[in-house]
Amino acid sequence: MTPPTPPASPTPHVPHRGDTEEQGGGAVAAGRPATAAGTAGPPSAAGAPAAVSTKRTSAPEDVPAPKDVSVPEDAPVLEGAPVFEDAPASANSLVPEDSLVLRGGTFSWLFPRRSALVAALLAPLLMLLVALAVMASSTGMSPRDTLSGLLGTGDPGTVMIVRDFRLPRVFVGIMVGAALGIAGCLTQTLAGNRLATPDLIGVNEGATAAVVATAAGSSTGMIGDWWLGPLGAVAAAVLVVLCAGGAGSAGYRVLVVGIGVSTFIGAVGDLIMSRENDNTAGGVFLWAVGSLNGRDWHVGTPLLIVLLLLLPLALAVGHRLQLLRFDDDTAACLGVDLRRLRAAALALAVALAGVAVGVGGPIAFVALAAPIIAGRLSGPTRVPVLGSALTGAALITAADALGRVVAPVELPVGVVTSVLGGPFLLWVLFRTDSTTGKA
Amino acid sequence: MTTPMTDAHPGLQVRGLHAGYPGRPVVQDVELTVPAGHVAAIVGPNGCGKSTLLRAIARLHRPTAGAVLADGADIWKLTQRQVAHRVALLPQSPRAPEAVTVAGLVRYGRHPHQGLLRQWSREDERAVRDALAATGTTELAGERLDRLSGGQRQRCWLAMVLAQHTPVVLLDEPTSALDLGHVVDVLELVREVAASGRTVIMVLHDLASAARYADTLIAMKDGRVVAQGPPKEIVDEALVKELYDLEADILRAPGDACPVVVPRAHG
């Protein structure tokens, strides 16, 4: 530590921290001047409260207001490029451990270093999985044929299979996974419970009931338009929220009411299905376990638009959701409008999960697992919205590809995620978290 | 030596405040004025409405009538975020985010001052550093909050509240789970906070420490303020009898003649 600045020093430009922390050359030296400015130059060490309290009566009058000081402080920064300050690794650093501070003029940003690293690792993994998923074939098409189909040099049949069936299916899977991952991340953070997934607010049953009803209503027993699933999912979730009278004070009531209402909607769907012939029931069953079979740009385009619209909103809401990790009173007194924040997070989760389930069917465990994995990767300080999206996308892509190659008959993606998700759920329930010591 | 408030502010006023639940008034007709730099302690028996009054002042409980003016503005006419620039609250048993470090906790105190384009300004950094120094928790900055002792943890929470840099600071039973040494620690700190120009209002269950550390004592019974003023003037046998239905002797501390309540043994 540098020696303490004398109280009420008119020249407060004494670096406050250990010299070892000074990185980045002159720009930082200019940009990190005396933090003692507003404080009558106290020792920053903890050991001196006694000396401090004797000073306190005289200090306020002598001290220049922090705002006055900040002008000359920031001036050198304004002239140059934004200052990049690396967060020092020392225990005394006050910058968030997982972030990089970017400052320019009166603006300042925290670049989420660790989350960015996670995203930078997940993105290539996802691309690798996409490559494997495009190759994955239930009919035994060779990788060379697949490549020729992708490039358009193969025979027309191969080109059509790869370009018109597999590729769109893989991309729809990515988007469904991303939407489920984000929705799960939002609901888990909202309820402060890792087991709180969008399934609990009735999206699965709503989508299934809508699809079952249209299949039963049509003379051919075919599943109707793609948008019926999302519509049913969102309608069920809205019904749940209305029954609960809002998100509830802890975001919890809506989940409890959701269990009840979704059981009822599920029962209505089962009732309709039980009166149908086996043919219809078989088709609806395939939908109801979660399958990406036959999904193409017809559903992919609207899904993409919804995702592009909602992802920035989810990122903004996710940033604020951090505060929900406090109790309600503390969060409110830190300036969070809890009702609005909860309503926004819930609406986003419902919309994203509704569209995802409506398109891909109720694919199990992705909304549960993706945020947990992303949270483990990116650390406890942030709400991992982007990480959950990438993880969810990777999970679905891998599960769908696996379902096409692992068995003689293609397995729906929902069956694969259920098989893999069961052990995962047990792991979540039984493990003792090494970072928190909590079960 | 907490960061001084830069300009004088009118402190906190409560005007004709009524609050409660449908059919059950909890706080009735409360008038308060606590100027800048003063410590006010709300005391009274359990269920007298002191916590509800504090919650109403913190904008957590909407009053049925009356107004709360923080820094001159009616808090119910401001947004949650605007209020967070004027009033900070330390609840009685706050819950921290899992695995948060001390520095991480105190940084959250800056949340009302941050936004999309202002995520970690120099002012934020300075406020956090000062709050840590003022509460003697600088050395603990890298530690995890849940691994600290109760006394240390309470100082860290106070640091978060100080980092918020509000003219009004509310504390709900800040000493309730602490041993005597840490109680004195925290209350000394509260005096320093007030000396830096802030208005401090706290709920205390212990009349003795309230009498010792508050400039103004606000005694409540059944939702009403029954006595209000400097402890030396208002604490007497009759007040203790009225508040707690207790026969007690009032002694004077040898040093500063501060009232000390000694309950009489029955029989």
Side-chain angles (χ1 to χ4, degrees), chain A residues 30-46:
Chain A
R32 190 192 279 156
T35 47
T39 65
S44 70

Side-chain angles (χ1 to χ4, degrees), chain B residues 136-152:
Chain B
T137 49
T138 307
E139 306 285 281
L140 303 175
E143 301 279 326
R144 270 178 51 176
L145 186 73
D146 52 9
R147 298 203 174 134
L148 302 180
S149 73
Q152 288 174 322

Side-chain angles (χ1 to χ4, degrees), chain A residues 231-300:
Chain A
L231 188 71
V234 171
V238 168
L239 182 67
V240 167
V241 173
L242 286 180
C243 285
S249 64
Y252 215 78
R253 190 174 57 208
V254 69
L255 297 174
V256 178
V257 171
I259 293 171
V261 173
S262 53
T263 305
F264 178 73
I265 299 174
V268 171
D270 287 348
L271 187 70
I272 300 171
M273 187 126 88
S274 67
R275 304 185 60 83
E276 292 305 307
N277 59 37
D278 291 351
N279 207 4
T280 312
V284 172
F285 169 78
L286 187 61
W287 192 91
V289 293
S291 167
L292 293 170
N293 197 9
R295 304 300 191 277
D296 55 20
W297 289 116
H298 185 55
V299 296

Side-chain angles (χ1 to χ4, degrees), chain A residues 16-17 31-35 37-39 42-46 49 52-53 56 59-60 63 65-67 70 73-74 77 83 85 91-97 101 103 106-111 319-320 322-330 332-338 380-381 433-438, chain B residues 1-6 55 58 60 80-81 83-84 87-89 91 93-99 101 103-105 107-112 114-126 128-130 132-134 136-142 144 146-147 157 160 164-165 188 191-192 195-196:
Chain A
H16 202 65
R17 294 219 219 143
R32 190 192 279 156
T35 47
T39 65
S44 70
V52 155
S53 57
R56 70 174 189 241
V63 170
K67 271 177 188 161
S70 72
E73 239 177 54
D74 287 342
V77 182
V83 182
E85 294 180 39
N92 268 346
S93 164
L94 299 177
V95 174
E97 298 78 12
V101 181
R103 282 182 184 143
T106 58
F107 299 126
S108 57
W109 291 273
L110 286 177
F111 178 72
H319 182 70
R320 299 210 153 183
Q322 286 180 59
L323 273 290
L324 287 189
R325 291 171 173 171
F326 284 98
D327 57 290
D328 280 9
D329 286 358
T330 307
C333 287
L334 289 173
V336 179
D337 191 330
L338 289 168
T381 48
D433 195 315
S434 60
T435 55
T436 64
K438 278 188 186 174
Chain B
M1 74 108 244
T2 61
T3 317
M5 298 310 294
T6 45
R55 286 175 57 80
L60 294 172
Q80 193 82 48
R81 196 179 169 85
V83 171
V87 181
L89 167 77
S93 26
R95 186 186 74 217
E98 259 183 45
T101 62
L105 179 77
R107 277 196 299 265
Y108 275 113
R110 297 305 295 169
H111 184 265
Q114 294 168 338
L116 199 59
L117 299 179
R118 193 168 180 272
Q119 299 183 345
W120 185 243
S121 65
R122 277 176 229 299
E123 211 179 316
D124 293 336
E125 198 163 336
R126 187 186 309 128
V128 169
R129 180 172 294 117
D130 291 349
L132 288 168
T137 49
T138 307
E139 306 285 281
L140 303 175
R144 270 178 51 176
D146 52 9
R147 298 203 174 134
W157 280 106
M160 183 189 94
Q164 207 174 328
H165 203 74
E188 289 288 342
R191 292 275 8 152
E192 286 182 27
S196 70

